[in-house]
Amino acid sequence: MNTASTQRPEKPLTGWRVLVPRGGPWGDGVAATLRARGAVPVIAPLINFAPTDDSATLETALADLAAGRFDWVTVTSATTVDVLYAYQAKIPETTKVAAVGETTAAALSAVGYRVDLVPDSDNSAAGMARQMNELEPEPRHILTLRSEIAKPVLTNMLMEAGHDVRSVVAYRTVGVPAKENVVRDVGNGRINAILVTSGSVAQQVREQFPEIPEATVIAAIGPRTAHDADLLGLPIHMIAPEQTIDSLIHALADLPVPEPTPEALAVPATGPVPTGTIRIDPAPTAVIETVVDDTRQETSR
Protein backbone atom coordinates (compact mmCIF):
# COMPACT_ATOMS: atom_id res chain seq x y z
CA MET A 1 0.00 0.00 0.00
CA ASN A 2 1.32 3.45 -0.91
CA THR A 3 1.33 5.63 2.22
CA ALA A 4 3.63 8.37 0.95
CA SER A 5 0.85 10.94 0.79
CA THR A 6 0.13 10.63 4.50
CA GLN A 7 3.71 10.67 5.73
CA ARG A 8 5.51 13.76 6.97
CA PRO A 9 8.54 14.90 4.94
CA GLU A 10 11.83 13.30 5.88
CA LYS A 11 13.06 16.81 6.65
CA PRO A 12 10.45 18.30 9.00
CA LEU A 13 11.38 21.96 8.40
CA THR A 14 11.05 21.83 4.62
CA GLY A 15 9.52 25.11 3.44
CA TRP A 16 10.72 27.21 6.39
CA ARG A 17 12.97 30.22 5.81
CA VAL A 18 14.48 31.13 9.18
CA LEU A 19 16.40 34.19 10.34
CA VAL A 20 19.44 33.29 12.48
CA PRO A 21 20.27 36.41 14.53
CA ARG A 22 23.94 35.77 15.25
CA GLY A 23 26.96 34.97 13.11
CA GLY A 24 30.30 33.30 13.74
CA PRO A 25 30.62 29.64 14.72
CA TRP A 26 27.33 29.78 16.64
CA GLY A 27 25.40 31.05 13.64
CA ASP A 28 27.07 28.61 11.29
CA GLY A 29 26.19 25.71 13.61
CA VAL A 30 22.55 26.77 13.87
CA ALA A 31 22.37 27.23 10.10
CA ALA A 32 23.77 23.72 9.56
CA THR A 33 21.14 22.26 11.90
CA LEU A 34 18.36 24.10 10.07
CA ARG A 35 19.60 22.93 6.67
CA ALA A 36 19.82 19.34 7.87
CA ARG A 37 16.15 19.54 8.82
CA GLY A 38 15.10 21.07 5.51
CA ALA A 39 14.90 24.79 6.36
CA VAL A 40 16.60 27.63 4.51
CA PRO A 41 18.64 29.62 7.07
CA VAL A 42 19.36 33.32 6.64
CA ILE A 43 22.30 34.29 8.84
CA ALA A 44 21.77 37.94 9.74
CA PRO A 45 23.85 39.00 12.77
CA LEU A 46 21.85 41.55 14.77
CA ILE A 47 24.20 41.71 17.76
CA ASN A 48 27.91 41.48 18.26
CA PHE A 49 30.27 41.63 21.21
CA ALA A 50 32.96 44.14 22.04
CA PRO A 51 35.58 44.40 24.78
CA THR A 52 34.60 46.18 27.99
CA ASP A 53 35.25 49.91 28.22
CA ASP A 54 36.90 49.32 31.61
CA SER A 55 39.60 46.78 30.86
CA ALA A 56 41.62 47.79 33.94
CA THR A 57 38.84 46.69 36.30
CA LEU A 58 38.43 43.41 34.43
CA GLU A 59 42.18 42.74 34.47
CA THR A 60 42.33 43.45 38.23
CA ALA A 61 39.45 41.05 38.86
CA LEU A 62 41.09 38.32 36.77
CA ALA A 63 44.38 38.81 38.62
CA ASP A 64 42.55 38.42 41.93
CA LEU A 65 40.82 35.35 40.52
CA ALA A 66 44.20 33.80 39.64
CA ALA A 67 45.47 34.66 43.14
CA GLY A 68 42.66 32.61 44.70
CA ARG A 69 40.77 35.50 46.27
CA PHE A 70 37.35 34.19 45.20
CA ASP A 71 35.51 31.09 46.37
CA TRP A 72 33.33 31.10 43.24
CA VAL A 73 33.30 32.60 39.76
CA THR A 74 30.05 32.65 37.78
CA VAL A 75 29.88 32.39 33.98
CA THR A 76 26.54 33.23 32.37
CA SER A 77 27.34 32.99 28.64
CA ALA A 78 29.69 31.41 26.15
CA THR A 79 30.85 34.93 25.29
CA THR A 80 32.20 35.27 28.83
CA VAL A 81 34.16 32.08 28.19
CA ASP A 82 35.66 33.75 25.12
CA VAL A 83 36.78 36.64 27.33
CA LEU A 84 38.36 34.30 29.89
CA TYR A 85 40.18 32.47 27.09
CA ALA A 86 41.31 35.70 25.42
CA TYR A 87 42.85 36.90 28.69
CA GLN A 88 44.26 33.43 29.43
CA ALA A 89 42.57 33.70 32.83
CA LYS A 90 43.73 31.27 35.51
CA ILE A 91 41.15 29.68 37.80
CA PRO A 92 42.78 27.99 40.81
CA GLU A 93 41.60 24.68 42.21
CA THR A 94 40.30 26.49 45.29
CA THR A 95 37.80 28.51 43.22
CA LYS A 96 34.60 26.80 42.08
CA VAL A 97 33.12 27.55 38.67
CA ALA A 98 29.37 27.93 38.09
CA ALA A 99 27.98 27.84 34.53
CA VAL A 100 24.45 29.03 33.80
CA GLY A 101 23.64 26.13 31.45
CA GLU A 102 24.97 23.19 29.48
CA THR A 103 26.02 25.32 26.49
CA THR A 104 28.14 27.57 28.69
CA ALA A 105 29.51 24.55 30.55
CA ALA A 106 30.50 22.95 27.24
CA ALA A 107 32.27 26.14 26.16
CA LEU A 108 34.22 26.20 29.44
CA SER A 109 35.24 22.57 29.10
CA ALA A 110 36.27 23.08 25.46
CA VAL A 111 38.97 25.57 26.47
CA GLY A 112 40.16 23.64 29.49
CA TYR A 113 38.19 25.07 32.41
CA ARG A 114 36.40 22.75 34.80
CA VAL A 115 32.76 23.25 35.79
CA ASP A 116 31.60 22.64 39.37
CA LEU A 117 27.96 23.69 39.08
CA VAL A 118 25.26 23.83 36.43
CA PRO A 119 21.71 24.56 37.66
CA ASP A 120 19.66 21.38 37.81
CA SER A 121 16.61 22.77 36.02
CA ASP A 122 16.39 26.56 35.84
CA ASN A 123 19.18 27.63 33.46
CA SER A 124 18.95 31.32 34.31
CA ALA A 125 20.76 33.81 36.51
CA ALA A 126 18.03 33.43 39.15
CA GLY A 127 18.23 29.63 38.98
CA MET A 128 21.99 29.75 39.41
CA ALA A 129 21.74 32.12 42.36
CA ARG A 130 19.14 29.97 44.12
CA GLN A 131 21.24 26.83 43.78
CA MET A 132 24.45 28.56 44.88
CA ASN A 133 22.70 30.00 47.93
CA GLU A 134 21.47 26.53 48.85
CA LEU A 135 24.97 25.09 48.52
CA GLU A 136 26.66 27.94 50.38
CA PRO A 137 24.75 28.95 53.55
CA GLU A 138 27.86 30.78 54.81
CA PRO A 139 29.13 34.02 53.19
CA ARG A 140 31.53 33.47 50.29
CA HIS A 141 33.66 35.69 48.05
CA ILE A 142 32.15 35.51 44.55
CA LEU A 143 33.16 37.04 41.22
CA THR A 144 30.27 37.53 38.77
CA LEU A 145 31.33 38.27 35.20
CA ARG A 146 28.61 39.80 33.04
CA SER A 147 27.63 41.72 29.94
CA GLU A 148 27.35 45.50 30.22
CA ILE A 149 23.58 45.30 29.66
CA ALA A 150 22.89 42.27 31.87
CA LYS A 151 20.34 42.77 34.62
CA PRO A 152 21.93 42.40 38.10
CA VAL A 153 19.67 39.49 39.09
CA LEU A 154 22.49 37.10 39.96
CA THR A 155 24.56 39.66 41.84
CA ASN A 156 21.60 40.98 43.81
CA MET A 157 20.35 37.54 44.86
CA LEU A 158 23.80 36.48 46.01
CA MET A 159 24.32 39.71 47.95
CA GLU A 160 20.91 39.43 49.59
CA ALA A 161 21.98 35.99 50.85
CA GLY A 162 24.99 37.59 52.55
CA HIS A 163 27.75 36.83 50.05
CA ASP A 164 30.59 39.25 49.23
CA VAL A 165 30.10 39.76 45.47
CA ARG A 166 32.28 41.62 42.99
CA SER A 167 30.37 42.23 39.75
CA VAL A 168 32.58 43.03 36.76
CA VAL A 169 31.67 43.80 33.13
CA ALA A 170 33.45 41.32 30.86
CA TYR A 171 32.13 42.55 27.51
CA ARG A 172 29.65 44.85 25.79
CA THR A 173 26.76 43.88 23.50
CA VAL A 174 26.25 46.14 20.48
CA GLY A 175 23.67 46.19 17.73
CA VAL A 176 24.58 45.41 14.10
CA PRO A 177 22.42 46.79 11.28
CA ALA A 178 20.85 44.09 9.12
CA LYS A 179 21.46 44.00 5.38
CA GLU A 180 18.88 45.73 3.20
CA ASN A 181 17.76 42.47 1.59
CA VAL A 182 17.16 40.96 5.05
CA VAL A 183 15.05 43.95 6.13
CA ARG A 184 13.11 43.63 2.87
CA ASP A 185 12.52 39.90 3.26
CA VAL A 186 11.37 40.25 6.87
CA GLY A 187 8.99 43.04 5.88
CA ASN A 188 7.45 41.17 2.96
CA GLY A 189 7.12 37.85 4.79
CA ARG A 190 9.66 35.90 2.76
CA ILE A 191 11.45 35.10 6.02
CA ASN A 192 8.71 33.26 7.90
CA ALA A 193 10.44 32.60 11.24
CA ILE A 194 12.75 34.71 13.42
CA LEU A 195 14.76 33.08 16.20
CA VAL A 196 14.99 35.31 19.28
CA THR A 197 17.75 33.98 21.50
CA SER A 198 18.20 36.79 24.05
CA GLY A 199 16.75 40.06 25.25
CA SER A 200 19.35 41.97 23.24
CA VAL A 201 18.32 40.12 20.06
CA ALA A 202 14.67 40.92 20.86
CA GLN A 203 15.56 44.61 21.11
CA GLN A 204 17.30 44.59 17.73
CA VAL A 205 14.40 42.73 16.08
CA ARG A 206 11.98 45.31 17.48
CA GLU A 207 14.12 48.27 16.37
CA GLN A 208 15.29 47.03 12.97
CA PHE A 209 12.10 45.35 11.75
CA PRO A 210 9.23 47.68 12.68
CA GLU A 211 6.87 45.99 10.19
CA ILE A 212 6.73 42.20 10.65
CA PRO A 213 3.82 40.35 8.97
CA GLU A 214 1.37 38.70 11.36
CA ALA A 215 2.05 35.29 9.81
CA THR A 216 5.76 35.42 10.65
CA VAL A 217 6.60 33.18 13.61
CA ILE A 218 8.71 34.94 16.24
CA ALA A 219 10.19 32.19 18.39
CA ALA A 220 11.87 32.75 21.79
CA ILE A 221 14.45 30.45 23.32
CA GLY A 222 12.96 30.66 26.81
CA PRO A 223 10.50 32.44 29.11
CA ARG A 224 12.98 35.11 30.23
CA THR A 225 13.67 36.08 26.62
CA ALA A 226 9.93 36.04 25.90
CA HIS A 227 9.35 38.32 28.88
CA ASP A 228 12.04 40.74 27.70
CA ALA A 229 10.48 40.74 24.23
CA ASP A 230 7.05 41.45 25.70
CA LEU A 231 8.42 44.47 27.55
CA LEU A 232 9.72 45.78 24.22
CA GLY A 233 6.37 45.24 22.49
CA LEU A 234 7.66 42.37 20.36
CA PRO A 235 5.03 39.61 20.09
CA ILE A 236 6.31 36.08 20.73
CA HIS A 237 4.38 33.25 19.08
CA MET A 238 6.34 30.28 20.37
CA ILE A 239 8.62 29.52 23.34
CA ALA A 240 11.03 26.57 23.22
CA PRO A 241 10.04 23.78 25.66
CA GLU A 242 13.67 23.65 26.81
CA GLN A 243 16.00 26.64 26.90
CA THR A 244 18.27 25.40 24.09
CA ILE A 245 18.63 26.29 20.43
CA ASP A 246 17.96 22.66 19.43
CA SER A 247 14.65 22.73 21.31
CA LEU A 248 13.74 26.00 19.62
CA ILE A 249 14.46 24.62 16.16
CA HIS A 250 12.70 21.33 16.90
CA ALA A 251 9.54 23.16 18.05
CA LEU A 252 9.20 24.87 14.66
CA ALA A 253 8.47 21.50 13.08
CA ASP A 254 5.21 21.30 15.02
CA LEU A 255 3.89 24.45 13.31
CA PRO A 256 2.57 24.80 9.76
CA VAL A 257 4.75 26.82 7.40
CA PRO A 258 3.13 30.27 6.94
CA GLU A 259 1.68 30.86 3.50
CA PRO A 260 3.95 33.17 1.45
CA THR A 261 2.64 36.62 0.65
CA PRO A 262 2.36 37.79 -2.97
CA GLU A 263 5.17 40.26 -2.21
CA ALA A 264 7.40 37.42 -1.01
CA LEU A 265 6.69 35.30 -4.09
CA ALA A 266 7.67 38.21 -6.33
CA VAL A 267 11.13 38.59 -4.78
CA PRO A 268 14.01 36.83 -6.58
CA ALA A 269 16.24 34.45 -4.63
CA THR A 270 18.38 36.11 -1.99
CA GLY A 271 22.13 35.49 -2.10
CA PRO A 272 24.27 34.41 0.84
CA VAL A 273 24.29 36.69 3.87
CA PRO A 274 27.71 37.26 5.50
CA THR A 275 28.05 35.70 8.94
CA GLY A 276 29.34 38.77 10.74
CA THR A 277 32.51 40.65 11.49
CA ILE A 278 34.11 39.05 14.53
CA ARG A 279 37.51 37.61 13.64
CA ILE A 280 37.60 34.08 14.94
CA ASP A 281 40.50 32.49 16.77
CA PRO A 282 41.08 28.83 15.82
CA ALA A 283 40.40 27.84 19.44
CA PRO A 284 37.12 26.02 20.26
CA THR A 285 35.33 29.30 21.00
CA ALA A 286 35.48 32.70 19.39
CA VAL A 287 37.91 35.21 20.83
CA ILE A 288 36.70 38.79 20.61
CA GLU A 289 39.02 40.93 18.50
CA THR A 290 36.80 43.43 16.72
CA VAL A 291 33.14 44.27 16.46
CA VAL A 292 31.81 45.93 13.33
CA ASP A 293 33.11 47.21 10.00
CA ASP A 294 34.30 50.80 9.86
CA THR A 295 31.47 51.38 7.40
CA ARG A 296 28.80 50.39 9.92
CA GLN A 297 27.35 52.48 12.69
CA GLU A 298 27.19 50.85 16.09
CA THR A 299 23.79 50.91 17.79
CA SER A 300 23.81 51.97 21.43
CA ARG A 301 22.26 49.63 23.93
Side-chain angles (χ1 to χ4, degrees):
M1 181 175 64
N2 185 0
T3 60
S5 62
T6 61
Q7 293 176 344
R8 295 183 66 179
E10 286 187 22
K11 296 187 174 183
L13 291 179
T14 297
W16 285 94
R17 189 173 180 84
V18 182
L19 188 145
V20 179
R22 285 175 53 193
W26 185 93
D28 291 341
V30 172
T33 300
L34 287 166
R35 284 192 202 96
R37 299 182 185 182
V40 175
V42 177
I43 300 178
L46 301 181
I47 60 171
N48 217 329
F49 306 103
T52 173
D53 288 330
D54 189 358
S55 59
T57 296
L58 175 61
E59 289 168 6
T60 298
L62 295 179
D64 288 344
L65 175 65
R69 294 184 179 138
F70 297 104
D71 299 302
W72 284 87
V73 58
T74 65
V75 184
T76 53
S77 71
T79 305
T80 305
V81 179
D82 293 337
V83 174
L84 289 170
Y85 184 83
Y87 278 90
Q88 292 295 290
K90 306 298 182 185
I91 303 178
E93 293 293 327
T94 55
T95 301
K96 295 179 181 179
V97 182
V100 74
E102 295 298 340
T103 300
T104 303
L108 283 162
S109 298
V111 293
Y113 294 115
R114 73 183 186 284
V115 178
D116 299 289
L117 173 67
V118 179
D120 292 333
S121 56
D122 184 358
N123 297 136
S124 68
M128 177 186 285
R130 280 192 292 269
Q131 196 149 343
M132 289 179 67
N133 287 337
E134 290 174 1
L135 289 172
E136 299 286 11
E138 299 298 323
R140 302 297 183 197
H141 297 287
I142 302 174
L143 173 63
T144 59
L145 298 172
R146 61 180 178 83
S147 161
E148 182 183 46
I149 62 171
K151 299 178 179 67
V153 173
L154 175 62
T155 297
N156 289 348
M157 290 181 67
L158 292 171
M159 291 179 68
E160 288 168 3
H163 298 297
D164 178 13
V165 182
R166 192 191 307 184
S167 179
V168 176
V169 173
Y171 63 93
R172 295 179 293 120
T173 304
V174 295
V176 178
K179 295 282 189 178
E180 288 184 8
N181 57 347
V182 174
V183 175
R184 177 201 66 196
D185 286 353
V186 169
N188 65 29
R190 189 159 184 255
I191 291 173
N192 44 39
I194 300 174
L195 305 183
V196 179
T197 55
S198 68
S200 53
V201 168
Q203 181 172 345
Q204 291 304 314
V205 171
R206 185 72 179 86
E207 292 177 359
Q208 297 197 43
F209 309 123
E211 300 294 334
I212 301 176
E214 290 185 5
T216 302
V217 175
I218 306 176
I221 199 168
R224 166 53 62 181
T225 298
H227 174 71
D228 290 343
D230 183 63
L231 293 177
L232 293 165
L234 179 69
I236 295 295
H237 305 111
M238 184 192 75
I239 301 174
E242 300 176 12
Q243 296 180 58
T244 66
I245 190 63
D246 283 342
S247 177
L248 185 61
I249 292 172
H250 182 77
L252 278 180
D254 294 329
L255 302 177
V257 182
E259 291 292 329
T261 63
E263 294 82 4
L265 292 172
V267 176
T270 301
V273 178
T275 60
T277 55
I278 289 182
R279 292 198 296 269
I280 303 302
D281 188 272
T285 56
V287 175
I288 301 170
E289 293 185 358
T290 188
V291 182
V292 289
D293 297 335
D294 293 338
T295 56
R296 288 184 174 183
Q297 180 69 36
E298 292 184 8
T299 304
S300 61
R301 297 293 303 177

